[in-house]
Amino acid sequence: MSQSAYARAGVDIHAGDEAVELMRSHVARTRRPEVLGGIGGFAGLFDASALARYRHPLLATSTDGVGTKVALARALDVHDTIGWDLVGMLVDDLVVCGAEPLFLTDYIACGHVVPERIAAIVKGVADACVAAGCALLGGETAEHPGLMGADEYDIAGATTGAVEADELLGPDRVRDGDVALAMASSGLHSNGYSLVRRVLLEDAGLALDREIPEFGRSLGLELLEPTHVYAGEVMTLLRTVTVHAMSHITGGGLANNLVRVVPDGMLVTVDRATWRPGPVFELVRSVGRIGEEDIEETLNMGVGMVALLPADQVDEARRVLGGLGLDAWVCGRVEARPGPAAVELVGGHPRA
């Protein structure tokens, strides 16, 4: 059979169809009862009558990508974890306001469709959606020859959730005497990779296959460690204890994200001595000769999520999260102080 004009231009429709078939079983695992139909339609369908169980539902939405961490996945030819990073960036921006993630759509742009690679990416997205209790409702794979190299790809997505209006978390609920409860990150997550790649790979010339004793594995595998998806644990926590506000610690670091949920007239003092960041953070800091405040404005430094909650709820919150396998600890406190909202990091991290 002669090659079509579109194929000669670099777009392989048949490869796209094969990719859809390979990903079909992964998408099916994320199905919720409210999902109508399957993949292959023009739009994903979600039965909105599910919102009838809410007294006053608010819809929450978030959109994001993974950023330059994709370059590491390509370099290592490991593509089934980058989807975790995408889902984590999306759904964990919803749960900080108390919203339950309902569904997610993804978008993969590539220079050339390799069905097995696309299916591996979608597998990671689906695995993370299952962990978050969120349906992968639909998506798009677009081939862009001439715009992207044959092995290049990028991934982005959007998600929607719902929360009761009178259960919406945020700064207005925060009170003097509240406690800041930190939840451990799984590593760098998906932020700061432009800095990390510049410092470790370009300036220092470290190879991705170099074994790092402190990591117990190669540099590449450490850097590719997937973002922890907190949605499942956080929704369980919110059903169990009273939480006033939450912050997802992404680009900009702990202080810059936490202050977003602190009201004017309140100060959160975070004590660095309450935790020790993982060795990957120290490697980036020491190799790049980066000051403490500078690196804290870029990387999460071992904290992926922070909850602000009443002091009498802390023990139960730690018990719940610990039972789900998530390390959590008191990292600071809230106090009333005249002036704009503020977060101050004090003390120093424990050293080896």
Side-chain angles (χ1 to χ4, degrees), residues 5-141:
Y6 209 9
R8 290 196 299 274
V11 177
D12 189 341
I13 295 175
H14 298 295
D17 291 341
E18 183 181 350
V20 170
E21 289 305 311
L22 290 175
M23 70 177 74
R24 191 177 296 277
S25 63
H26 301 310
V27 175
R29 291 188 292 111
T30 74
R31 190 178 182 90
R32 289 174 53 121
E34 304 93 339
V35 175
L36 303 178
I39 64 172
F42 286 98
L45 298 174
F46 190 90
D47 187 352
S49 68
L51 298 178
R53 61 185 171 89
Y54 290 83
R55 300 183 306 277
H56 182 177
L58 300 180
L59 293 180
T61 185
S62 172
T63 186
D64 210 339
V66 174
T68 61
K69 190 173 183 178
V70 169
L72 291 172
R74 289 172 44 216
L76 292 166
D77 196 24
V78 176
H79 310 284
D80 61 352
T81 62
I82 207 74
W84 280 88
D85 298 293
L86 177 67
V87 174
M89 293 299 99
L90 292 171
V91 300
D92 289 334
D93 276 356
L94 296 187
V95 296
V96 295
C97 68
E100 174 193 3
L102 299 176
F103 57 82
L104 181 149
T105 57
D106 63 7
Y107 177 82
I108 303 170
C110 61
H112 175 65
V113 170
V114 179
E116 294 78 12
R117 183 166 61 202
I118 298 299
I121 296 169
V122 173
K123 176 184 182 299
V125 175
D127 288 343
C129 282
V130 170
C134 176
L136 179 53
L137 193 58
E140 174 72 9
T141 300

Side-chain angles (χ1 to χ4, degrees), residues 319-337:
R319 185 194 68 79
V320 170
L321 294 174
L324 296 171
L326 182 58
D327 187 23
W329 66 93
V330 173
C331 70
R333 296 188 179 275
V334 180
E335 61 179 308
R337 190 189 72 170

Side-chain angles (χ1 to χ4, degrees), residues 157-171:
T159 187
T160 298
V163 58
E164 291 283 7
D166 60 2
E167 296 176 4
L168 182 69
L169 305 182

Side-chain angles (χ1 to χ4, degrees), residues 160-340:
T160 298
V163 58
E164 291 283 7
D166 60 2
E167 296 176 4
L168 182 69
L169 305 182
D172 60 301
R173 292 178 176 257
V174 177
R175 297 290 181 266
D176 183 18
D178 278 355
V179 169
L181 185 70
M183 302 174 208
S185 71
S186 56
L188 295 167
H189 284 184
S190 300
N191 302 106
Y193 274 81
S194 294
L195 172 67
V196 171
R197 290 168 56 242
R198 173 69 178 269
V199 167
L200 300 183
L201 306 183
E202 296 178 21
D203 293 348
L206 299 181
L208 290 174
D209 61 358
R210 177 170 174 171
E211 294 294 323
I212 307 294
E214 294 87 348
F215 301 163
R217 55 182 172 177
S218 70
L219 174 63
L221 291 180
E222 178 68 25
L223 298 184
L224 204 59
E225 178 67 31
T227 299
H228 185 86
V229 175
Y230 297 90
E233 293 106 332
V234 166
M235 294 310 299
T236 299
L237 181 70
L238 296 180
R239 289 192 290 266
T240 309
V241 305
T242 299
V243 176
H244 289 156
M246 300 194 71
S247 176
H248 185 198
I249 311 305
T250 56
L254 198 160
N256 289 331
N257 282 286
L258 183 54
V259 76
R260 296 164 66 181
V261 297
V262 177
D264 289 340
M266 294 286 180
L267 164 69
V268 181
T269 303
V270 175
D271 186 357
R272 297 184 184 95
T274 59
W275 83 98
R276 180 183 173 192
V280 67
F281 301 101
E282 176 58 23
L283 180 69
V284 176
R285 189 201 64 77
S286 60
V287 171
R289 299 178 181 177
I290 304 170
E292 189 165 52
E293 291 185 1
D294 193 0
I295 198 167
E296 286 175 339
E297 289 184 350
T298 305
L299 306 181
N300 67 60
M301 301 305 291
V303 178
M305 188 78 75
V306 176
L308 300 179
L309 68 169
D312 63 4
Q313 301 290 295
V314 170
D315 288 344
E316 179 65 6
R318 292 192 65 195
R319 185 194 68 79
V320 170
L321 294 174
L324 296 171
L326 182 58
D327 187 23
W329 66 93
V330 173
C331 70
R333 296 188 179 275
V334 180
E335 61 179 308
R337 190 189 72 170

